[in-house]
Each structure stands twice: as C-alpha cells, then as structure tokens.
C-alpha cells in the first residue's frame, strides 16, 4: 500500500499545489512509474475542477486526468496509475465517493493493486475510517460518516493550537477532546499545516517541511507531541504488501 | 412562540452564563411567570451537567432542573415552563434529542403551548431546520442533520470574519459560501459573539450587546450586514400566535 496523506495542499512559502511536498510526491510517482494521475476533485465546491487539474499538472510536471471527464468513473479508478484526492469540503467529497460507487473501487485499487493514494485536507480525511474528525461544515443534506478506511486512525488535518481572540466557541483541542470522550477507544492523529504521513508497504513515515511535531489525542490521557514516527508506528500496524 | 437564540453563552466582559444577555433573559422569564426552567445539557460532553445547571441558576437567579435528573425526559419537556438548551457539541445534542424522542415534544411545547425556548451556540443550531451550519466536529458515529426547525433559517453561531494566521483551511466565510453553493435556495444568518435573535409571537428582534451587525449569506449574492432587523424579518415570516 502506498499512502501519502497531507494536512493541506498549499502553503504561503512554497508555490504551487502540493509545492511544499513536491519532491516527496515526485519521488513517489517516479518509484511507481506513474505517467498520468487521476484527480478526484469532488471536494472543490466553488472552484473550477479543470483549473485544479491544471494546477496539479503544472506543479508536479505530470499528466492529470480529472475523474469528472471520465465517462465511467469506476473504470477510471480501476485503470488509474495513481489517485490524487483534492482538499475542499469533506462532506461533499465523501458523499460523492459513496453516491458514485467509488469507495470499494478505490479501496481495491489501493489495497490490492498498490496504486498510490495521495490525499490532502479533505482527501486526507476520507482516507481514514470516517470523517468524524473533519474541520468542515456539514453543508450537505445527507451525511455519510464512514470513509475509505485506508489509514487506520482518525486524522485531523490543518491542526493548530492557536485560537482567534474573542471567539467563544470550542478550540480545536477541545473539539478533539470531545471526539475522544465520545470515542474513548480511538486515537486521533493531528497533522499541522505542511506535514504528512506516508505509508509504503509496511513502513510508516512522518514528515513536516517546517520541522514541526505531530500530536496524538487519546481519551483520559494528556496529548503527546512527537517528531519521531515510532509512537505513531506502534498505533498503525500495516500488513506487508 | 417565544424563541431566544444566542450566538454564545459566555463573553469575557460579562460574568456568568448568559450574563451578556441577562436582562433580556430575565425579562422573558418574568413575562411568562417562569419559576423553574428545564435545562437540556446534552451538548456538554466534557463538563458536568449539574455544574452547568448551577451556573445557570446562579447567573439568572432562577430555579433550574436539568433534564438528566428527570425519570421521564419527555414528560419533563411536556411540563416545562421554559426550555433552555445549552451550548457544547451540536452533533451530540441533536443525536440525543432524536434518540430520546424529544424533538416532537419540544416542538409542540414551543409551538402549541408557547413555552419559551432559549438556546445558545449548539442550542441555537438545533433550533433551526438542520445542523448543517454548525461549527462543531461531527464526533458521533451516527449523524442526524434535521433539527427542531423552530426558526426557519439556518443560523451560524460564533460567526467571525477573522482567521488564524497560517491556517490554510477554509475561512468561515468560505465555509458558509460552500453551504450556499450546495443549498442555493437557502439563506444563512450569521450571528457574531454576544448577539441574538428573539422571536415573540409574530415579531422578530435582533440585538448585539456590542452593537455589532448580523450578516446574511445567500448564493450568488454578496453577503450583507445589518443592524436593523427589517431584512431579517422579511426572510422570517412568523404566524401570529
């Protein structure tokens, strides 16, 4: 299995979509001899899907087919050399994956054929067991919480400690503590901006372009911060390919 | 119908739960000769429900019964003189209202008996047609989106324009614009901290203790800001009691 799960797609200091992780993404594509990637842009509600595909192609120097041009989206997934899932609204993305019947085809492509899966923000959320740790507004009338489950832990992307002065709503830490209180057997991996987890076969890696740590949330325990992947690896046993 | 829908429960500058709106809440209780209020604390995941009830009693100088002590929660609603719904996690609150069979009893109490409904934050969200404009994390495994529908528009509480430096996720305005793009026939009322809408029979009022405006979001239109309730009144026709 090849997973690259990124907190976010853009940063202020690195130009281009996935620019902050470009070398890592390109190395992954080269290792798998990927000539064309399949983009799943359904999370993008207000932007242009073709523009998103063009941005990705330009940033990575690779051919990009957006799935919305495929006559048969399921066949497009079955033939994909690599699957890239864009950020945007997690609810809309997950709804579309289910409605278009893409959940099982994506899972089979990634698990059985070893097709690389690269997802950022909402595309990172849907790679986990459910979208219960999204930051997004549930804008759709019908909600589906279970997601692809490619990665075994809930991830909270765009994680940040800061809060806005004067805002009386819950902080992110409070929201994640609520998640753990309701789901006491689960662990949440909080990924700060410009950080990622990568799974290659049975090996997991953590990387932050800014050298920042990741954070683990568990019910009844203090949160912990790590740069070393070892504590995360202990929570994510992967079967060898 | 008597609705008091508040963006939030606490502010930095006004001590006590609902302290910033105390006079308005107390006037409402006096007008309805309320001696004891029924608190619905299910949104509170990590706090103590009895403490929440005690805080409310102390702040308002009124007796408070929390529904979790009622042998029959439905009967408690049916006998309530006033229903106060606390903030916290909107998903958990709405799930509990549905699971405990309280949706119809609350709606009947408010619509048919004129029992005052006071809700802040999550308690404001569930008074609208659905919880699609909550800011909260969907921490529950099962999601229910339809809510009480006492107020006809979606409300976004804790509304703020500001964003956190370096955060690459969507701003609140972007999230609400996404909502409107997916739901183009709907209008969202954004309530800043320490502001409220009040419905008394067929009359609607808007008030901010800080003198701030409310904001309306509609698809394909620029957002608008108002201190005058008139534009909001035009969107919320209420039947006379």
């Amino acid at each position: 299995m090849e997973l690259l799960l990124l907190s976010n797609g853009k940063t202020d200091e690195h130009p281009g979509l996935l620019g902050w992780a470009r070398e890592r993404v390109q190395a992954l594509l080269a290792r798998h001899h990927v000539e064309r990637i399949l983009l799943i842009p359904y999370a993008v509600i207000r932007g242009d899907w073709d523009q998103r595909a063009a941005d990705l192609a330009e940033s990575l120097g690779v051919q990009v087919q957006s799935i919305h041009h495929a006559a048969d989206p399921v066949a497009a997934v079955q033939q994909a050399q690599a699957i890239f899932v864009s950020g945007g609204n997690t609810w809309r993305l997950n709804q579309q994956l289910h409605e278009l019947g893409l959940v099982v085809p994506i899972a089979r492509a990634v698990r059985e054929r070893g097709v690389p899966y690269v997802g950022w923000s909402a595309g990172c959320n849907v790679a986990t067991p459910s979208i219960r740790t999204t930051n997004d507004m549930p804008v759709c009338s019908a909600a589906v919480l279970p997601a692809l489950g490619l990665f075994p832990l809930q991830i909270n992307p765009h994680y940040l400690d800061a809060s806005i002065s004067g805002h009386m709503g819950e902080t992110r830490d409070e929201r994640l503590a609520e998640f753990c209180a309701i789901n006491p057997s689960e662990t949440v991996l909080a990924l700060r901006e410009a950080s990622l987890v990568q799974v290659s076969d049975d090996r997991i890696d953590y990387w932050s372009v800014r050298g920042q740590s990741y954070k683990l949330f568990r019910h009844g325990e203090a949160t912990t911060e790590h740069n070393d992947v070892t504590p995360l690896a202990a929570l994510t046993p992967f079967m060898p390919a």
Side-chain angles (χ1 to χ4, degrees), chain A:
Chain A
M1 192 158 61
E2 288 282 357
L3 299 178
L4 195 59
L5 305 180
L6 306 97
S7 178
N8 56 300
K10 288 188 177 176
T11 62
D12 287 333
E13 66 269 38
H14 302 89
L17 190 53
L18 304 185
W20 64 270
R22 187 176 293 115
E23 288 180 23
R24 200 169 271 248
V25 176
Q26 288 177 328
L28 175 67
L29 296 177
R31 200 163 68 243
H32 286 265
H33 311 290
V34 173
E35 294 177 345
R36 192 166 77 150
I37 65 182
L38 180 69
L39 172 66
I40 298 186
Y42 301 131
V44 180
I45 293 180
R46 295 168 65 234
D48 183 83
W49 292 350
D50 288 321
Q51 187 60 52
R52 184 68 47 116
D55 290 347
L56 196 59
E58 185 189 344
S59 181
L60 299 178
V62 67
Q63 287 185 52
V64 178
Q65 179 200 15
S66 180
I67 195 168
H68 74 283
H69 287 299
D72 182 345
V74 169
V77 166
Q78 288 167 338
Q79 291 152 18
Q81 295 175 19
I83 298 169
F84 279 54
V85 185
S86 174
N89 186 284
T90 308
W91 297 88
R92 180 64 171 169
L93 169 61
N94 202 43
Q95 181 194 47
Q96 291 297 300
L97 292 180
H98 281 84
E99 285 190 2
L100 297 170
L102 296 175
V103 171
V104 171
I106 292 172
R108 292 193 68 163
V110 175
R111 289 185 185 281
E112 297 176 12
R113 287 200 297 125
V115 172
Y117 177 103
V118 179
W120 57 98
S121 190
C124 171
N125 277 123
V126 297
T128 73
S130 80
I131 62 170
R132 285 169 297 156
T133 49
T134 180
N135 306 306
D136 295 341
M137 194 169 279
V139 298
C140 304
S141 293
V144 186
L145 292 174
L148 294 168
L150 302 171
F151 189 77
L153 302 181
Q154 291 297 134
I155 296 177
N156 180 244
H158 300 290
Y159 173 74
L160 73 185
D161 307 277
S163 59
I164 298 171
S165 173
H167 179 53
M168 304 307 290
E170 291 77 8
T171 64
R172 185 72 62 85
D173 279 13
E174 287 166 348
R175 294 173 199 279
L176 291 170
E178 287 180 352
F179 176 89
C180 293
I182 293 287
N183 304 282
S185 70
E186 297 189 50
T187 301
V188 181
L189 165 62
L191 287 182
R192 290 187 165 86
E193 306 290 7
S195 68
L196 59 81
V197 284
Q198 182 163 15
V199 174
S200 290
D201 298 336
D202 59 348
R203 185 171 154 273
I204 185 166
D205 191 17
Y206 167 77
W207 181 68
S208 160
V209 68
R210 296 171 182 165
Q212 290 184 295
S213 54
Y214 65 90
K215 211 160 162 178
L216 295 174
F217 287 76
R218 255 168 279 169
H219 183 57
E221 299 179 25
T223 58
T224 55
E225 301 242 12
H226 312 274
N227 281 289
D228 176 9
V229 79
T230 308
L232 179 58
L235 292 164
T236 53
F238 291 95
M239 293 295 106

